[in-house]
Amino acid sequence: MLDAAAHFETVHERLPGGPEVLQARKAALARAEQTGLPTRRHENWHYTDLARLLKQDSAKNPPMAAHCAEAFCAAALDPLQMVFENGVLVGAPVCEQGVTVESFANALSLGTHAHKDDISDHDMAAFNFAMAQDGVVLTINGSPDRALELVTRGDEAAHLRHAVKVESGTVTLIENLQANGYTNAVLDVDVAAGARVFLLRVQTAGDHIGLTRVKLHGDGAFGVVTFVTGGKLARHETQIHLHGTGARADVHGAILGRGTLHADMTSHLHHETANTDSLTTLHAVLDDTAQGVFQGKVVVARDAQHVDAQQQSRAMMLSEHAHMSAKPELEIYADDVACAHGAALGELDGDALFFLRSRGIDEAAARHMLISGFLAAPLAHIENEELRALVAAHVAAHVPGGDGKGELANV
Amino acid sequence: MALLEIENLHAGVDDKTILNGFDLKIEAGEVHAIMGPNGSGKSTLSYVLAGRDGYTAQTGTARFDGADLLDMEPEARAIAGLFLAFQYPLEIPGVTNMTFLRTALNAVRRGRGEDEMDPASFLRMVREKSRAMGIDDDMLKRPLNVGFSGGEKKRNEVLQMAVLEPRLAILDETDSGLDIDALQTVADGVNAMRNDARGMLVITHYQRLLDFIKPDFVHVMVHGRIVRSGGPELAEELERSGYGTYIGAETSGQGDDAGVAHA
Ligand SMILES: Nc1ncnc2c1ncn2[C@@H]1O[C@H](COP(=O)(O)OP(=O)(O)O)[C@@H](O)[C@H]1O
Ligand SMILES: [Mg+2]
């Protein structure tokens, strides 16, 4: 995989799409090669080193153990599930009132989703299109009763490309990332005027390089809450264009980092028009030698007045060998805006720990309580109560020292 | 056997000695008050007894029902029946008051070899005790002490005491920052818990609290030790004369703290 072109030669015959798609793939690959696959010299990739991943040969990782105890399990909600195993959609897409589902591979082969080479695709996104095996093309009209869940699993390198168009209504998406291997995924979301999209993303395993690109039209709302509770490498980049007035974006991340996990939450909020709001937060709990990254950028265009954009990164360091990098950035070209950013880093509060222990709560349980309490903030952004309870239970089980029976408040 | 027996305790923070030969004996059923100027070591005493990190004893002993208190983890002291109402209660984001109370009560019950309380009985009990303290459902659902006023935090401390039913309660300036109505509520809550089996140590800077919680014994603490002990009349005497007579010439610089202030 180090030599992307050589790798492409070996696999392109197996990739979906006709000659035109192949041409588009080649163009994308050429562009990816021209800019070079990202290294830490690229500003956007300053904190996350892909070298290890891009060198990784296709040797198989140990077999996965994707049971619900370890991975996040949304089954209790009976979501409309689409499972991608080693980069390929398993089974036929399911039906639901108001939802049109098509596999990306099919759409490419049939030409119904003729992917034109898109020069806005840069580095990993261009590479992603060149290599894309499958994904889902979703069109949503009205508010489906069930959440739509994309499950990613398997052990092999996978390149997924999803396109979601929400024409009206309110929809809940779940990205359940439990693949052990390396996944490169691009998710494009178009939110029509007045539509509302909530995305819950939980990564419990593997190496995941994800890019989510959202376009928000007037009064449209997009909220994403990403929990990284396991895996080796997590890169979740969110680019949001607040294109129509009244649009609102919420980008929240939570990292429960143990071992050598490296988790990078990168966001770009482009306030292109007036009266648009955004809130970007990260809560990172970092133990062992885990590394957390918050790279947040807010751009407010000229004449985009009355914009409210806030960014906040908070880290709780449980080990002196853990590391957090926070780089919130504001680029403001309008004058009547309320924008702020902040970054806080601290340890578990010893006084609070003593307070809890003085009430009879043993040290491990008290620590669990304080860490869980710290993560109550991102959980609170999950509006759906059942979904919030599922994530809370998953998080409680993964809090350092957690026995899985821990209780999270405010759930 | 005394409920609490402290003998010749020297203790402090890091290398600094703050308690200088402190002695105190509390029997079950007794209410003791410790009064003293700011900085005399009252909170330090409470932290040493509750087992806060960094507050260590150099010499001397503290026995709780015969057991070596200083050798126990903070949670073990709570399970044994010690309770400290903090002068400055901590804020715990993300943990609701209710979850905290239930976790604490069940931890203490488990530690005492008792069964956990079932959720319905717990809810009923907490509601009843909260009402007595003027704490509404909303305050129970909010994160512990976050955004609570000073008075709400203090009332919440007394609620915790009522829920945990300790054998010895140490109240560290539970009166500070309270208006007269809140003071009455807090005192009622404390008085309702007085019984033959329970001891109390009421720490205060002002005599005012002792009009509401009548102590059996009053001690004056200066420079980390008790310099005088007496009955309730001692509190009244202090109110008239202040701490001045107890503070040596070497501390005249602390004049601000020497008087017993009035509400
Ligand atoms: N954590 C600490 N570190 C250093 N000095 C302390 C600490 N806590 C208390 N002290 C000192 O110990 C003395 C007694 O303080 P404290 O116990 O709070 O008194 P009181 O509660 O009677 O006002 C004071 O001189 C105070 O500055
Ligand atoms: Mg004090």
Side-chain angles (χ1 to χ4, degrees):
Chain A
M1 243 175 76
L2 185 57
D3 184 344
H7 184 65
F8 182 75
E9 282 311 313
T10 67
V11 297
H12 76 78
E13 279 175 10
R14 284 181 274 141
L15 296 174
E20 280 168 41
V21 173
L22 184 60
Q23 279 315 307
R25 287 182 189 276
K26 284 181 172 165
L29 183 68
R31 196 171 47 258
E33 291 222 296
Q34 200 178 15
T35 46
L37 287 173
T39 69
R40 297 190 57 181
R41 281 193 299 276
H42 291 66
E43 196 192 355
N44 198 29
W45 290 90
H46 181 67
Y47 298 99
T48 295
D49 192 354
L50 288 182
R52 176 180 68 80
L53 268 193
L54 299 178
K55 271 189 205 117
Q56 166 181 299
D57 59 33
S58 55
K60 291 217 169 39
N61 290 300
M64 60 169 181
H67 49 88
C68 278
E70 272 299 309
F72 170 66
C73 194
L77 274 185
D78 186 29
L80 198 68
Q81 226 182 32
M82 287 149 274
V83 178
F84 294 87
E85 188 129 13
N86 293 323
V88 178
L89 180 64
V90 184
V94 238
C95 302
E96 177 83 3
Q97 180 81 27
V99 182
T100 316
V101 188
E102 198 178 5
S103 101
F104 181 73
N106 264 352
L108 280 187
S109 303
L110 299 174
T112 47
H113 185 81
H115 195 288
K116 305 246 175 357
D117 181 34
D118 180 353
I119 55 155
S120 72
D121 275 2
H122 64 289
D123 52 54
M124 289 307 283
F127 186 56
N128 172 278
F129 176 63
M131 307 294 293
Q133 296 154 275
D134 209 343
V136 74
V137 181
L138 276 172
T139 308
I140 293 148
N141 227 312
S143 305
D145 289 337
R146 296 157 75 190
L148 307 175
E149 183 185 18
L150 306 176
V151 183
T152 305
R153 28 181 222 231
D155 302 319
E156 292 168 21
H159 298 82
L160 293 172
R161 198 162 185 108
H162 310 293
V164 178
K165 196 164 174 20
V166 182
E167 292 177 341
S168 68
T170 299
V171 63
T172 298
L173 304 173
I174 301 168
E175 251 195 297
N176 190 339
L177 309 174
Q178 41 181 272
N180 283 319
Y182 152 63
T183 307
N184 175 349
V186 172
L187 167 64
D188 286 310
V189 186
D190 189 90
V191 184
R196 300 170 57 86
V197 178
F198 175 74
L199 168 63
L200 168 71
R201 179 186 291 129
V202 185
Q203 180 181 349
T204 54
D207 299 305
H208 189 94
I209 308 292
L211 171 64
T212 301
R213 297 183 295 198
V214 182
K215 185 161 187 180
L216 277 172
H217 300 276
D219 294 320
F222 177 83
V224 56
V225 178
T226 301
F227 274 87
V228 178
T229 59
K232 296 187 289 292
L233 189 142
R235 156 81 174 200
H236 298 284
E237 179 175 348
T238 309
Q239 299 176 359
I240 300 187
H241 291 265
L242 296 108
H243 188 65
T245 194
R248 154 127 205 144
D250 270 275
V251 181
H252 303 292
I255 301 167
L256 254 178
R258 282 167 304 171
T260 57
L261 175 73
H262 177 103
D264 173 340
M265 301 287 184
T266 292
S267 56
H268 305 258
L269 280 295
H270 298 273
H271 289 264
E272 296 173 350
T273 189
N275 295 301
T276 50
D277 295 343
S278 70
L279 175 61
T280 309
T281 68
L282 173 64
H283 286 75
V285 176
L286 302 171
D287 202 355
D288 304 326
T289 58
Q291 301 194 31
V293 177
F294 175 85
Q295 196 176 205
K297 186 166 186 175
V298 167
V299 182
V300 181
R302 196 171 336 134
D303 301 330
Q305 308 296 2
H306 309 295
V307 160
D308 188 318
Q310 312 288 331
Q311 291 183 90
Q312 179 68 242
S313 149
R314 303 172 69 89
M316 183 188 271
M317 314 302 286
L318 300 182
S319 148
E320 57 181 307
H321 303 295
H323 189 80
M324 177 74 201
S325 310
K327 187 184 166 206
E329 217 183 328
L330 291 170
E331 216 176 281
I332 301 172
Y333 300 102
D335 46 32
D336 189 8
V337 298
C339 296
H341 61 69
L345 186 141
E347 293 170 14
L348 197 86
D349 181 350
D351 293 344
L353 192 66
F354 169 61
F355 184 69
L356 295 179
R357 293 179 72 190
S358 79
R359 298 304 184 242
I361 301 169
D362 69 51
E363 185 172 359
R367 287 175 67 88
H368 191 278
M369 209 169 196
L370 291 175
I371 298 168
S372 302
F374 178 74
L375 293 173
L379 278 172
H381 292 294
I382 304 173
E383 270 179 44
N384 181 296
E385 252 176 71
E386 286 169 285
L387 194 54
R388 187 165 70 238
L390 288 178
V391 181
H394 173 76
V395 170
H398 286 77
V399 162
D403 57 358
K405 298 187 198 86
E407 224 178 321
L408 288 171
N410 297 340
V411 169
Chain B
M1 194 186 305
L3 192 54
L4 178 70
E5 186 160 14
I6 304 171
E7 281 180 322
N8 192 31
L9 186 62
H10 290 72
V13 186
D14 304 324
D15 294 339
K16 189 174 167 192
T17 300
I18 298 165
L19 300 182
N20 275 303
F22 187 93
D23 294 290
L24 181 68
K25 189 169 171 180
I26 299 179
E27 301 284 351
E30 293 176 353
V31 173
H32 290 242
I34 290 186
M35 301 185 68
N38 284 332
S40 57
K42 303 185 296 297
S43 291
T44 301
L45 171 70
S46 73
Y47 290 143
V48 170
L49 294 178
R52 181 170 173 174
D53 244 9
Y55 287 72
T56 43
Q58 290 131 12
T59 55
T61 57
R63 305 205 150 266
F64 187 67
D65 211 16
D68 181 0
L69 191 63
L70 303 177
D71 201 33
M72 295 158 76
E73 297 293 336
E75 54 269 34
R77 301 181 197 205
I79 288 163
L82 186 84
F83 180 89
L84 168 62
F86 282 58
Q87 181 173 1
Y88 304 107
L90 276 292
E91 299 187 1
I92 315 281
V95 178
T96 66
N97 209 357
M98 190 69 109
T99 300
F100 161 69
L101 286 168
R102 194 175 59 238
T103 308
L105 177 64
N106 285 333
V108 162
R109 288 174 73 116
R110 276 197 311 273
R112 293 175 185 164
E114 298 164 15
D115 287 339
E116 294 191 2
M117 193 180 266
D118 70 87
S121 314
F122 172 78
L123 204 63
R124 213 174 313 118
M125 181 271 293
V126 166
R127 287 244 166 84
E128 191 187 310
K129 291 183 171 173
S130 305
R131 209 170 305 125
M133 292 313 301
I135 289 171
D136 59 20
D137 272 14
D138 180 57
M139 267 175 73
L140 289 172
K141 285 183 194 144
R142 274 157 59 190
L144 177 57
N145 290 331
V146 178
F148 286 24
S149 71
E152 286 172 336
K153 286 179 183 169
K154 295 302 178 78
R155 281 188 276 137
N156 208 33
E157 291 291 290
V158 179
L159 171 62
Q160 290 158 46
M161 172 171 80
V163 168
L164 297 179
E165 300 186 315
R167 301 180 59 205
L168 177 71
I170 304 170
L171 304 167
D172 189 2
E173 298 211 25
T174 301
D175 52 331
S176 63
L178 295 187
D179 62 28
I180 198 78
D181 291 336
L183 189 59
Q184 185 70 59
T185 308
V186 161
D188 289 348
V190 173
N191 287 328
M193 294 198 64
R194 286 178 80 153
N195 65 28
D196 290 349
R198 184 169 289 133
M200 292 195 184
L201 180 58
V202 180
I203 294 173
T204 182
H205 180 73
Y206 303 110
Q207 191 267 339
R208 187 180 69 157
L209 178 67
L210 305 182
D211 290 339
F212 295 85
I213 303 172
K214 295 274 187 235
D216 302 306
F217 301 94
V218 174
H219 310 278
V220 182
M221 183 171 180
V222 178
H223 294 325
R225 52 201 295 262
I226 287 176
V227 294
R228 196 172 160 200
S229 296
E233 72 287 347
L234 183 53
E236 284 151 35
E237 184 191 313
L238 275 170
E239 190 188 12
R240 287 191 303 274
S241 57
Y243 294 115
T245 47
Y246 300 100
I247 300 175
E250 83 270 24
T251 59
S252 56
Q254 295 186 347
D256 281 357
D257 290 339
V260 178
H262 273 274

